[in-house]
Amino acid sequence: MGEIVQKLQRLFKHGTGRTMLAAICAHSVSISIGMCQGYSAILLPQLARDFQITSEESSWIASLGAVTNPIGSILSGLLAEYLGHKPSILLSSLPSVIGWICIATATNINLMYAGRLVTGIAAGMSVASYTYVAEISAPSDRGLFQSLGPICASFGILITYVLGAYVRWNVVALVSVAFSIFTVIGMQLVPESPDYLLKKGKKDKAAKSLLWFRRSNTEVVRFNSDSEKATRKLYLTSTVMKPFFILVTLFLLQALSGIYTILYYAVNFFEEANLNIDEHMSSIIVGLIRFTMSVAAAFLINRFGRRTLCIVSSGGMTVTMLAAGGYFKYYEVFIDEEKRFRALPLVGVLCNVFFSMIGMLPIPWILAGELFPLRVSSIMGGVVICLAQTFTFVCVKIYYDMIALLHFSGTLMLFCFVSLLALLFCTFVLPETKDKSLDDIETIFKKKTEINPEVYTVTLT
């Protein structure tokens, strides 16, 4: 025990432990986000038993948790730009607490709708945490610390699935409030990003912040002295537009591959599959796999890189969804034939979740905090996440329509096809950012004709 304490003391002495603490506090907001994403999976079956809600009402309850995500992401980008990343993360807890209290005390469907809308705003405000952690982390640690976001989200989903199997939906909502309060307390312990403080010309505060994170004499050359007019022009350069289109495409493929559809409708998904197994237990297994693999991915990402893991992830998703979709299609054609190997589609779906957590689910979020230049990262990160969450809302909302139009097997085969497209995109388009500083990443997208502006140099003594 004493040896562990000594190791922790060394971590904090050299700054890595402090950066990890700040990353945990910032990404703790993702626990509530994960609970928001997984909540409909346990809420809808309970409401169906208690209130006899229609499929249309079910789709709205599920999708309303995502429809206001874009509002939250844009709001978060603006708050981070003008107030700072730390205040933006703190303020995200306010709609989270209000929304979960509305859900916990709901006595009719309209109050439930309102709660889902407000918690959706809080979920959309997570973009500030990714930008904050990207700026405070050293290049060698950034992948690990950014992976704490998906880990916290997966933890929130797992808690929701487990609680949903044993307690009522309003109790689960009250538990979510506690995690929002934890974020508020945690963020009081850490300073603002030194990069943001430099951006606002607060060099003394930036030096103090960097000393808190690094605990050693360090020279930083991170933020340039662009004029406001030059910064506006930056939005239309290749340095911004290339990562913008890469991220938007990656998030679109992520949403259409079925990752979030399975998440939002986990219990219903396994009921639809008609596998004669406990749907809640299947959902808990899904949550456990997501959480376990999100932890594993945190270590894999620094070893193998973002692009490699996305290729493996999308390839595995293609194969596993092909197996599950092919199984259901066979028995839709030969409807009178007795089903054999009933565990096969369950294994296929669980393996799909396994592969999605290696790369296609967490890495686009990590890249959203890495690819844009510091001068525009808050705004552009908010815009990209806004679009990503719009894609998620549409895909979640049309789930029942897809089932009606394509049947269950056709829906799975569509997920398979999109996963194949993601494999091709990651292989031929997606850049690698492993071990690169934010300045080095900016250089990847910069044209040779673009001039490097003057930079601030801050030396800590």
Side-chain angles (χ1 to χ4, degrees), residues 4 10 22 52 94 117 122 188 321 459:
I4 295 175
R10 285 198 296 270
Q52 301 297 316
L94 181 60
L117 284 169
Q188 303 299 326
M321 201 52 76
T459 304

Side-chain angles (χ1 to χ4, degrees), residues 215-229:
R215 308 307 299 165
S216 62
N217 292 342
T218 308
E219 185 176 89
V220 180
V221 184
R222 291 291 295 275
F223 183 69
N224 65 59
S225 57
D226 284 346
S227 66
E228 184 177 347
K229 182 178 180 181

Side-chain angles (χ1 to χ4, degrees), residues 126-328:
S126 64
V127 61
S129 62
Y130 284 92
T131 306
Y132 175 80
V133 174
E135 292 181 6
I136 66 174
S137 303
S140 59
D141 299 325
R142 193 175 62 242
L144 176 63
F145 292 160
Q146 287 285 50
S147 297
L148 291 172
I151 289 174
C152 288
S154 297
F155 179 65
I157 292 166
L158 178 59
I159 290 175
T160 304
Y161 287 170
V162 172
L163 290 176
Y166 300 103
V167 300
R168 286 182 56 79
W169 51 270
N170 51 351
V171 177
V172 180
L174 289 174
V175 172
S176 301
V177 175
F179 288 107
S180 300
I181 295 173
F182 172 82
T183 299
V184 174
I185 297 173
M187 288 305 296
Q188 303 299 326
L189 305 175
V190 300
E192 179 58 86
S193 151
D195 290 46
Y196 175 81
L197 294 170
L198 272 180
K199 177 180 177 180
K200 295 301 181 181
K202 301 176 181 179
K203 297 183 184 180
D204 292 339
K205 289 185 177 181
K208 291 179 181 178
S209 174
L210 189 64
L211 183 59
W212 191 92
F213 284 113
R214 298 291 184 264
R215 308 307 299 165
S216 62
N217 292 342
T218 308
E219 185 176 89
V220 180
V221 184
R222 291 291 295 275
F223 183 69
N224 65 59
S225 57
D226 284 346
S227 66
E228 184 177 347
K229 182 178 180 181
T231 300
R232 287 199 300 267
K233 289 183 178 179
L234 180 64
Y235 284 97
L236 299 178
T237 65
S238 63
T239 311
V240 174
M241 297 310 296
K242 283 183 179 178
F244 172 77
F245 286 114
I246 287 173
L247 286 169
V248 168
T249 303
L250 193 60
F251 274 115
L252 178 61
L253 294 171
Q254 180 198 67
L256 290 173
S257 67
I259 289 176
Y260 291 108
T261 304
I262 296 174
L263 171 64
Y264 276 78
Y265 293 101
V267 175
N268 301 67
F269 193 86
F270 288 109
E271 285 179 346
E272 186 72 33
N274 192 26
L275 299 175
N276 295 327
I277 56 176
D278 184 83
E279 295 85 2
H280 284 288
M281 184 55 63
S282 300
S283 301
I284 292 173
I285 294 173
V286 168
L288 186 60
I289 290 175
R290 284 178 62 93
F291 177 68
T292 303
M293 289 311 302
S294 64
V295 174
F299 297 96
L300 292 173
I301 196 169
N302 271 359
R303 182 176 178 82
F304 296 104
R306 283 72 156 152
R307 179 173 171 270
T308 301
L309 291 179
C310 279
I311 291 173
V312 173
S313 175
S314 54
M317 290 168 62
T318 303
V319 174
T320 53
M321 201 52 76
L322 177 64
Y327 179 92
F328 288 115

Side-chain angles (χ1 to χ4, degrees), residues 321-452:
M321 201 52 76
L322 177 64
Y327 179 92
F328 288 115
K329 183 62 179 178
Y330 178 86
Y331 286 105
E332 284 177 5
V333 174
F334 301 98
I335 193 171
D336 295 328
E337 189 171 331
E338 183 180 356
K339 287 185 178 180
R340 303 174 61 186
F341 309 109
R342 287 181 173 270
L344 178 62
L346 174 62
V347 172
V349 172
L350 295 180
C351 287
N352 182 270
V353 173
F354 171 93
F355 280 108
S356 72
M357 291 307 303
I358 292 177
M360 280 302 294
L361 192 145
I363 289 179
W365 292 89
I366 293 172
L367 292 177
E370 292 183 345
L371 295 191
F372 291 114
L374 175 63
R375 288 94 74 198
V376 299
S377 59
S378 297
I379 298 297
M380 290 306 300
V383 171
V384 166
I385 299 303
C386 170
L387 292 172
Q389 291 165 334
T390 301
F391 300 152
T392 301
F393 161 70
V394 172
C395 291
V396 172
K397 182 65 180 71
I398 65 173
Y399 172 68
Y400 287 116
D401 297 319
M402 291 172 63
I403 295 294
L405 180 64
L406 303 174
H407 304 295
F408 192 64
S409 64
T411 301
L412 298 187
M413 295 306 290
L414 176 62
F415 295 160
C416 172
F417 176 71
V418 175
S419 298
L420 177 60
L421 293 180
L423 173 61
L424 297 174
F425 180 81
C426 294
T427 302
F428 297 107
V429 179
L430 190 66
E432 181 56 73
T433 60
K434 179 179 178 292
D435 293 335
K436 289 183 171 63
S437 69
L438 299 184
D439 293 325
D440 293 335
I441 294 172
E442 181 176 342
T443 304
I444 295 174
F445 303 108
K446 185 177 295 182
K447 290 182 179 179
K448 294 181 180 178
T449 55
E450 293 178 20
I451 300 175
N452 290 323

